[in-house]
Amino acid sequence: MSSSSTTTTTTRLLMLKASDGVTFEVEEAVATKLGAINNMVEEEGSEDLICLPNVNGKFLGMVLEWCKKHANNNTNSDKGNDEVNKWWDKEFVMDLDQNTLYHLLMAADYLSGTELVDLLTEKVASMIRGKKVEEIRETFKIKSDFLPGQEEEIRKKNSWAFE
Amino acid sequence: MGRICGDLPEELLEEIFSWVPPRSLFRFKCVSKSWYALINSLAKNPEFVSKHLSNIIDKKNILSSATCLLFCSSVRTFWPPQKRELVRHKMFTSLTISHDDNERDHLNYVSEVFHIDVPLNALHISIAKRSHCNGLICLLTAFHEVILCNPAIKEYRTLPESSLTYDGFMSLGLGFNYDSKAKDYKVVKFGYDVRQRSRVESVKTRAEVYSMRNDTWREIGIHFNYDRSPFCHGEVFSKGVFYWCVETPEYVIISFSMFEEVFHSIPLPNHFPVKRRGGRFIKLVVWNESVALFSCHCEREFTHTFEVWVMGDYASGVKGSCSWIKKLVIGPLVDIRYPLIFLKHDELLMKATDGNLMLYNLCSQMLRKITLTQVAFKDPCLDFSYIKSLVSVQGGSQYHL
């Protein structure tokens, strides 16, 4: 997707292969925003094809889209970038459904994209803050495993948090 | 509605929790045994508490840009017990103001009352005797007690008794903040001995500092003498230094550097009103992390003009080295009583003559009314912008950024 024709010839391209065989050609500077890929590049040196058996192509594509945007925005290093990045991040997570959010978060975590993990966990938090306990169980597919009376006791102790 | 499928690993849950406000987090203990155990251990984990705090303070949050204000109520000693009890239960009220993303001019408010069973004495405070940092609020009561509380997690603690609590000692000012060099929370308070005061003698000041790490007070040097009983306004804090405006009755600004633990007096800008009179008064605020001074001038009834003077970088060691630059003139504004605080670099919160809060935008020069229908008191005293943190009042030095 990047216009490699206009970039300088010194830009190295990496090939990333997702679990479902989908491959992505990405500039090294973009891909190394992900800690995991940065480590692989540093350790394995000349390897140009990187296999990522734990990430599906759809979500790898989304993670790379985020990396590209941030890499591009950061190249022109003026102060407005922070605002641009913030605005763009907001848009990026705005309409994610919970299923996509979950897989994207797992992918970002696996690839050690710390900033992206921050953004996605903040998004999850914004969806759960202020919610009732029952709603949280529903969202996270959790069944209460408290013994009878235990939950009431915790509620009582923390009653102020339920007001 | 879709669901977040499968199990999130604990470290990702921890990341999510670091963005969740304390009240929600404490409520989520009821979700399951593992959540209960995790949240309990995180709330006691200094690293997590610091992360939670820095997520709010450093404005790393991208998705919300809300400002939270805290209102403290106080009571009068002569109030009947029932009335005092009522106030105690609504001692802290927060108001969260956020901009509507779709409508730039629209503001959303959410208010929240914090029930915290502080001792009744804690209610006997004046604005000048309150200070705050990282979600902790420090109160100096009329009975010389210093109380630390975190309303967001319903904690409070009375600090050990200091030596300057004898009858005849009059407290003037209080400051509480985090000393990033010593990695310690500190309280500084100062006042004067009423007994020393006679017609010929001037008022001598005394001061002491409390260190949370050592959990003790110690007296430190302060060398201000005043001819008359002074009156001190609430403190502002910027870059490791506290500033108070004291009326003696001439205006004096005194500073206290947290790192060096030294007091200084700071000269006012030239040609400044030296006394409160004829509708002229001054007020200290923090603006863009710098100390700024409001000069408020009542032109005619209900019409004020406000000048904002910004203090140049103040070398805390050098007396008289301070320079002031006039940066702004606001107004004349009708029906505004006085400025309160800057919420952002271009948003100024002001108190209207009818007791309501008004938000003034420096760029658009637009005034917007904040309707305080849910705030517990008709004429609440605005105290400060506030963050809901998990920082414990039990302290030690472990909770810091």
Side-chain angles (χ1 to χ4, degrees):
Chain A
M1 279 187 275
S2 70
S3 48
S4 48
S5 55
T6 59
T7 54
T8 53
T9 46
T10 50
T11 308
R12 186 181 162 206
L13 291 175
L14 294 177
M15 196 73 104
L16 305 183
K17 192 174 172 190
S19 60
D20 51 0
V22 181
T23 55
F24 295 85
E25 203 181 40
V26 205
E27 284 173 28
E28 185 178 349
V30 172
T32 48
K33 279 195 81 67
L34 301 165
I37 296 191
N38 193 37
N39 287 346
M40 287 181 213
V41 169
E42 279 178 3
E43 279 165 23
E44 290 160 34
S46 60
E47 199 72 58
D48 280 349
L49 177 72
I50 294 175
C51 291
L52 301 164
N54 287 338
V55 193
N56 170 300
K58 180 184 168 192
F59 302 109
L60 179 58
M62 290 177 84
V63 171
L64 292 173
E65 186 195 346
W66 182 89
C67 292
K68 251 178 227 164
K69 214 45 168 200
H70 275 251
N72 284 348
N73 288 347
N74 291 345
T75 45
N76 4 313
S77 57
D78 64 76
K79 255 198 163 176
N81 272 325
D82 250 20
E83 287 305 306
V84 175
N85 278 341
K86 273 194 171 187
W87 179 85
W88 196 84
D89 279 350
K90 249 184 181 172
E91 293 283 305
F92 184 73
V93 295
M94 176 101 71
D95 298 318
L96 294 180
D97 64 74
Q98 291 194 15
N99 190 38
T100 312
L101 190 54
Y102 169 77
H103 288 287
L104 199 54
L105 179 53
M106 294 298 273
D109 184 48
Y110 167 69
L111 297 165
S112 315
T114 322
E115 280 175 67
L116 182 56
V117 169
D118 269 353
L119 173 67
L120 296 170
T121 50
E122 191 195 347
K123 172 69 180 176
V124 179
S126 75
M127 292 160 77
I128 66 173
R129 71 167 71 115
K131 288 265 166 74
K132 290 187 180 126
V133 172
E134 294 72 22
E135 293 170 314
I136 298 301
R137 288 191 188 129
E138 166 81 13
T139 306
F140 287 87
K141 276 186 164 177
I142 295 171
K143 275 202 177 123
S144 170
D145 52 357
F146 288 114
L147 297 173
Q150 271 183 337
E151 187 182 332
E152 283 64 41
E153 205 176 302
I154 300 169
R155 269 181 197 260
K156 226 171 151 185
K157 258 194 195 163
N158 299 280
S159 60
W160 59 274
F162 290 86
E163 282 156 6
Chain B
M1 186 168 101
R3 285 171 168 176
I4 291 178
C5 310
D7 283 317
L8 277 170
E10 201 168 285
E11 64 267 22
L12 281 182
L13 213 46
E14 195 178 316
E15 293 286 332
I16 294 169
F17 288 165
S18 73
W19 298 100
V20 174
R23 195 187 287 251
S24 288
L25 199 56
F26 275 65
R27 188 167 62 242
F28 295 168
K29 285 180 186 183
C30 271
V31 168
S32 71
K33 276 185 181 170
S34 60
W35 278 45
Y36 177 75
L38 179 62
I39 294 169
N40 268 343
S41 84
L42 289 177
K44 292 189 194 100
N45 176 349
E47 245 172 74
F48 177 78
V49 172
S50 298
K51 187 184 170 71
H52 188 270
L53 184 62
S54 76
N55 279 353
I56 322 171
I57 291 185
D58 298 346
K59 304 241 181 267
K60 277 203 266 179
N61 45 339
I62 286 155
L63 303 176
S64 74
S65 54
T67 311
C68 188
L69 306 171
L70 194 75
F71 301 84
C72 287
S73 307
S74 58
V75 301
R76 304 285 147 88
T77 28
F78 54 81
W79 284 6
Q82 301 97 308
K83 192 172 175 185
R84 283 190 286 173
E85 199 58 37
L86 199 71
V87 171
R88 172 156 76 160
H89 286 292
K90 290 178 177 176
M91 184 167 179
F92 298 107
T93 308
S94 76
L95 179 73
T96 308
I97 307 171
S98 57
H99 284 272
D100 198 313
D101 269 343
N102 304 317
E103 270 180 274
R104 179 84 182 86
D105 295 337
H106 190 261
L107 295 172
N108 296 320
Y109 319 106
V110 182
S111 86
E112 194 180 331
V113 175
F114 297 98
H115 299 265
I116 174 166
D117 295 322
V118 288
L120 266 177
N121 280 356
L123 301 171
H124 297 278
I125 35 164
S126 70
I127 295 173
K129 314 283 166 37
R130 294 171 192 158
S131 188
H132 68 100
C133 165
N134 292 349
L136 294 179
I137 295 148
C138 185
L139 308 166
L140 174 60
T141 74
F143 307 94
H144 299 300
E145 288 162 318
V146 181
I147 293 171
L148 214 53
C149 49
N150 181 341
I153 55 170
K154 223 174 149 61
E155 269 192 6
Y156 79 88
R157 177 165 77 103
T158 307
L159 298 188
E161 199 178 325
S162 74
S163 57
L164 299 180
T165 55
Y166 52 88
D167 280 343
F169 185 78
M170 187 72 98
S171 291
L172 270 180
L174 177 80
F176 167 73
N177 220 294
Y178 182 68
D179 178 343
S180 55
K181 285 190 184 162
K183 301 206 182 309
D184 193 7
Y185 283 101
K186 287 179 180 174
V187 180
V188 57
K189 69 185 181 87
F190 60 95
Y192 60 95
D193 201 318
V194 182
R195 293 174 308 185
Q196 284 178 351
R197 205 180 136 229
S198 67
R199 289 234 169 115
V200 283
E201 250 182 316
S202 60
V203 170
K204 289 192 180 70
T205 46
R206 292 178 75 178
E208 62 186 341
V209 167
Y210 167 83
S211 144
M212 202 189 248
R213 176 182 294 144
N214 303 328
D215 199 27
T216 51
W217 292 92
R218 99 196 107 80
E219 187 157 2
I220 53 159
I222 181 169
H223 306 288
F224 301 123
N225 295 327
Y226 303 121
D227 293 336
R228 301 261 294 274
S229 297
F231 173 79
C232 183
H233 295 265
E235 116 283 0
V236 299
F237 183 81
S238 169
K239 297 169 189 160
V241 183
F242 291 103
Y243 301 84
W244 295 267
C245 179
V246 181
E247 286 182 45
T248 72
E250 281 87 20
Y251 286 123
V252 185
I253 296 174
I254 62 176
S255 73
F256 177 76
S257 158
M258 229 183 178
F259 309 135
E260 288 115 39
E261 299 192 349
V262 181
F263 284 93
H264 284 289
S265 73
I266 295 174
L268 292 174
N270 295 331
H271 317 298
F272 231 63
V274 290
K275 280 184 188 178
R276 174 196 285 269
R277 67 158 175 255
R280 269 187 180 275
F281 61 97
I282 67 172
K283 183 183 166 65
L284 282 170
V285 289
V286 174
W287 186 35
N288 295 333
E289 292 180 27
S290 293
V291 176
L293 189 59
F294 268 105
S295 165
C296 312
H297 173 54
C298 184
E299 294 193 351
R300 49 184 185 276
E301 211 176 356
F302 306 125
T303 306
H304 281 85
T305 310
F306 308 96
E307 288 176 4
V308 185
W309 292 72
V310 174
M311 196 169 84
D313 258 344
Y314 163 60
S316 58
V318 192
K319 202 180 171 185
S321 70
C322 175
S323 63
W324 295 91
I325 299 162
K326 183 156 91 174
K327 283 276 172 89
L328 279 177
V329 178
I330 299 170
L333 296 175
V334 182
D335 286 339
I336 294 293
R337 207 187 286 167
Y338 48 81
L340 292 161
I341 50 169
F342 281 99
L343 296 188
K344 292 181 196 161
H345 68 281
D346 61 348
E347 297 266 18
L348 174 64
L349 195 69
M350 306 180 106
K351 180 93 161 225
T353 37
D354 62 3
N356 275 306
L357 297 179
M358 305 288 276
L359 203 52
Y360 179 78
N361 188 288
L362 297 185
C363 304
S364 69
Q365 307 196 344
M366 202 168 70
L367 267 173
R368 277 173 298 183
K369 187 173 170 178
I370 295 181
T371 321
L372 291 172
T373 47
Q374 288 182 63
V375 172
F377 298 95
K378 207 182 161 201
D379 193 22
C381 255
L382 172 94
D383 280 345
F384 35 73
S385 67
Y386 168 69
I387 48 168
K388 293 170 202 161
S389 82
L390 294 167
V391 179
S392 170
V393 296
Q394 300 304 334
S397 59
Q398 67 268 51
Y399 297 120
H400 58 79
L401 283 170

